[in-house]
Amino acid sequence: MEFRTVGIVGAGQMGNGIAHVFATSGYQVLLNDISQDALNDAIGRIQKNTARQVSKGQMSEEDRATALSRIRTTRELGDLGGTDLVIEAATEREQIKDQIFAGLQPSLEPHTVLTSNTSSISITRLAAKTDRPEKFMGFHFMNPVPVMQLVELIRGIATSPETYAALLKVVESLGKTAASAEDYPAFIVNRILIPMINEACYALYEGVGNVASIDASMKLGANHPMGPLELGDFIGLDTCLAIMNVLHDGLADTKYRPCPLLVKYVEAGWAGRKSGRGFYDYRGDVPVPTR
């Protein structure tokens, strides 16, 4: 399997970062979203981030221009059918992902490999609903994609060794490091990380500390670069809640019960940075704790 063209479904925070790293690594990229505004915003963000790389001496202006020329956009999902590799990077909801793969199926070339950037959902279950479970894998990038070095590779029960070996080479070509994870709820990174954020929510919920003290304690006491509540806001509290629900449902262990305060924040629409409020209020010049 050789990949030259990559189709990416979803132009949000993850999708535009994935498009960025593939384009700067020499791949032709076709970026899809149902929203033209989202596509425009994604291109603007990629332009801004690559300009920052030029200013830091990480690439030349000529290389930047060439990379940007490799990215095309489309609102038609079927246009991605002719690519060698499809990466689904849509909302962390299984029903939406199933609809995307079903919508792609009529236009797919026989050789096209399907992947999902899901951070928690069963790869085996997603793959089983397609016509090519042997050519389906989890391809989980970390956020922000251009900066973070890890990519989790998750094989479903039907994934072929050839598909895994080919995607391992793709990760290497991006200058990143692959970690192989088994297909269990939330895989490796989020199996460990999101329950920590959920536990920080419980500490806040139970009055053990306020937002500022909990985050300061983990930054200064555990040498974390970002406090768990600040990190939750960065990831998106709706995403954190979705992953906790996958863990709770999939493993049936009460230690994965989502914190009621986390649920309440998501119900209020306070999803973190992207919505302007979460455990911090981002609407002013400086983030202010909301509790």
Side-chain angles (χ1 to χ4, degrees):
M1 299 178 186
E2 287 190 18
F3 304 113
R4 295 185 178 88
T5 57
V6 180
I8 300 167
V9 184
Q13 193 173 38
M14 296 304 296
N16 78 66
I18 296 169
H20 175 151
V21 298
F22 271 93
T24 54
S25 300
Y27 295 86
Q28 296 294 324
V29 175
L30 184 56
L31 182 60
N32 163 263
D33 201 283
I34 58 174
S35 166
Q36 187 60 50
D37 287 343
L39 291 170
N40 294 341
D41 288 346
I43 295 300
R45 184 174 293 276
I46 294 168
Q47 290 172 337
K48 180 180 178 181
N49 289 340
T50 51
R52 185 182 296 118
Q53 289 180 301
V54 171
S55 70
K56 291 181 177 180
Q58 296 171 348
M59 71 166 65
S60 68
E61 186 58 55
E62 182 181 357
D63 287 342
R64 173 178 180 259
T66 301
L68 292 174
S69 73
R70 295 189 184 112
I71 303 173
R72 295 182 296 119
T73 64
T74 179
R75 292 177 60 191
E76 297 298 324
L77 186 62
D79 291 346
L80 275 60
T83 60
D84 301 323
L85 170 66
V86 172
I87 304 169
E88 173 273 313
T91 304
E92 191 68 355
R93 288 174 54 192
E94 188 166 351
Q95 182 180 8
I96 290 175
K97 295 179 187 298
D98 287 341
Q99 289 171 353
I100 288 168
F101 289 119
L104 279 166
Q105 191 156 307
S107 61
L108 290 174
E109 294 290 339
H111 72 278
T112 302
V113 170
L114 299 177
T115 66
S116 176
N117 185 57
T118 179
S119 52
S120 62
I121 297 169
S122 168
I123 297 303
T124 297
R125 197 163 61 237
L126 290 173
K129 297 165 190 169
T130 73
D131 66 342
R132 60 195 69 204
E134 74 287 351
K135 292 182 179 177
F136 194 111
M137 270 193 67
F139 206 32
H140 182 214
F141 289 82
M142 306 295 121
N143 185 34
V145 181
V147 175
M148 302 297 280
Q149 288 300 302
L150 184 72
V151 180
E152 282 183 312
L153 292 180
I154 307 102
R155 282 172 281 198
I157 195 169
T159 304
S160 72
E162 292 79 11
T163 298
Y164 172 76
L167 287 175
L168 188 61
K169 288 183 179 179
V170 171
V171 174
E172 292 171 355
S173 76
L174 300 177
K176 297 189 181 295
T177 301
S180 296
E182 293 301 316
D183 186 22
Y184 292 106
F187 319 129
I188 296 172
V189 173
N190 285 325
R191 172 75 176 265
I192 298 167
L193 177 65
I194 303 301
M196 182 195 75
I197 293 172
N198 192 55
E199 193 62 28
C201 295
Y202 269 113
L204 179 63
Y205 176 62
E206 295 169 3
V208 178
N210 60 26
V211 169
S213 63
I214 291 168
D215 277 352
S217 294
M218 294 307 293
K219 285 193 284 188
L220 302 178
N223 204 30
H224 290 190
M226 191 181 292
L229 299 175
E230 182 186 3
L231 181 58
D233 277 358
F234 180 76
I235 294 169
L237 300 184
D238 53 344
T239 300
C240 292
L241 178 58
I243 295 169
M244 286 307 303
N245 282 327
V246 167
L247 283 165
H248 193 229
D249 294 344
L251 298 172
D253 192 322
T254 56
K255 73 180 181 179
Y256 298 115
R257 183 172 70 97
C259 177
L261 185 60
L262 175 61
V263 175
K264 191 65 65 180
Y265 268 61
V266 174
E267 287 176 343
W270 292 19
R273 283 182 178 270
K274 63 186 176 185
S275 65
R277 276 189 292 189
F279 290 113
Y280 292 84
D281 189 327
Y282 300 94
R283 295 174 298 173
D285 294 334
V286 178
V288 178
T290 54
R291 286 175 100 81

